[in-house]
Amino acid sequence: HGFHAHHDDCGACTHEDHAGHDHAGHDHAGHDHSHAHGRPSETRAAERFGIRSFVYSRRRPFHPQRLKEMVLKWLPVTSNLAIDNEAPEIGDSPIKSVLRSKGFLWMSNSHSTAYYWSHAGQHFEIRDEGDWWTAVPEEDWPEAGPSRDVILADWQMEGVYGDRRQEIVFIGVGMDEVKICEQLDCALLNDEEVAKYGIRWTSVPDPPHPSVDLLMAAHVAAQAAKKAKTGHHDHHAHDHHAHEHHEHHEHEHPAHH
């Protein structure tokens, strides 16, 4: 199928932040990458039926039309409200091995709204889930405690977009995680589009979140200190090795409401 060939070509898509697809703070139930390790029920299911799960986590928005053309049209469902109940595309596609998926979506045409990806059985839809917490003034947040901790756990401490993210859990049989991720990655904004997105929305800044600003400043300072310490250690180790090498030259050297 001509369009599926494009899916295979998607591996060429690259985004600068892919190396930084962190799961910092994403240790909520089911948000780990251990897969079958240490979870007996999933291990048994995986052994008997080949069923497993993974989390797709990214920190850049989807392009709505590309998401529809490259991903949503290929979902193996009979009722797909996101494409006006059109029948799925014919042909092979990595996403067709998915039985169920759910999670949060960040779309480039809606800066403040968090969307919910809901796929169960033969039904798929994308729902408006309300605003991202980063688009909500801090005085309207829950009081300090577990609810606020969940918000902060989803916050990107080294960025400007707060809790905006892609975070979708996929469950299926015989899934090729790498190919499914590549298929989804090709629907993300590319680096040039991300730059334009940033310029477009700087005119509509998020409301202030003073307590988060303090946490982010502390995080950045801690990272800088850690980097400086590591650099000093490496430099010291290099000097020490150079000294040894000189003496013994015969030896070799990771909203909602």
Side-chain angles (χ1 to χ4, degrees):
H1 191 287
F3 200 83
H4 178 231
H6 195 82
H7 282 184
D8 292 339
D9 294 342
C10 277
C13 292
T14 56
H15 303 293
E16 288 178 357
D17 69 349
H18 280 191
H21 293 156
D22 62 287
H23 270 250
H26 281 213
D27 56 350
H28 326 314
H31 286 192
D32 63 287
H33 269 261
S34 60
H35 301 309
H37 306 300
R39 290 193 279 185
S41 60
E42 185 175 312
T43 302
R44 283 196 295 273
E47 287 173 354
R48 289 184 62 191
F49 309 112
I51 297 173
R52 56 178 291 271
S53 66
F54 71 92
V55 179
Y56 177 78
S57 180
R58 299 290 188 265
R59 290 286 185 171
R60 64 171 66 203
F62 279 125
H63 185 290
Q65 192 59 31
R66 284 206 299 271
L67 182 66
K68 180 179 177 180
E69 296 293 333
M70 296 181 167
V71 181
L72 304 184
K73 279 187 172 183
W74 300 86
L75 286 167
V77 297
T78 54
S79 171
N80 191 332
L81 299 184
I83 58 170
D84 300 321
N85 278 330
E86 292 176 22
E89 290 283 348
I90 296 169
D92 292 333
S93 178
I95 203 83
K96 288 194 173 184
S97 59
V98 174
L99 296 174
R100 183 172 184 191
S101 48
K102 59 182 180 178
F104 298 107
L105 287 177
W106 175 15
M107 305 291 276
S108 66
N109 61 345
S110 186
H111 191 56
S112 63
T113 304
Y115 290 94
Y116 190 74
W117 168 299
S118 175
H119 162 213
Q122 289 296 315
H123 183 78
F124 178 81
E125 65 177 318
I126 292 175
R127 299 194 301 265
D128 180 334
E129 190 70 5
D131 289 341
W132 294 110
W133 285 109
T134 190
V136 176
E138 190 172 328
E139 58 264 28
D140 294 330
W141 283 17
E143 294 297 318
S147 295
R148 184 169 285 223
D149 291 343
V150 170
I151 295 172
L152 295 175
D154 291 326
W155 209 272
Q156 186 178 28
M157 289 295 170
E158 295 178 15
V160 295
Y161 293 119
D163 60 335
R164 294 181 179 90
R165 67 197 184 282
Q166 317 298 350
E167 185 179 0
I168 311 166
V169 182
F170 289 94
I171 302 166
V173 177
M175 293 187 299
D176 187 329
E177 180 178 343
V178 171
K179 286 196 176 298
I180 290 171
C181 287
E182 286 177 354
Q183 187 174 351
L184 289 157
D185 284 348
C186 283
L188 297 170
L189 298 193
N190 61 34
D191 293 338
E192 183 181 348
E193 289 167 335
V194 165
K196 289 179 180 177
Y197 177 90
I199 293 168
R200 176 185 175 190
W201 291 109
T202 47
S203 60
V204 191
D206 289 327
H209 305 100
S211 66
V212 182
D213 292 342
L214 289 173
L215 287 173
M216 290 179 72
H219 174 81
V220 170
Q223 291 297 311
K226 183 178 178 182
K227 188 174 181 180
K229 185 177 180 182
T230 304
H232 176 72
H233 176 75
D234 291 346
H235 182 70
H236 178 72
H238 178 75
D239 287 348
H240 181 68
H241 172 70
H243 178 68
E244 280 190 343
H245 187 72
H246 180 71
E247 290 186 348
H248 307 285
H249 53 84
E250 69 276 11
H251 295 293
E252 294 293 331
H253 179 77
H256 302 275
H257 56 301

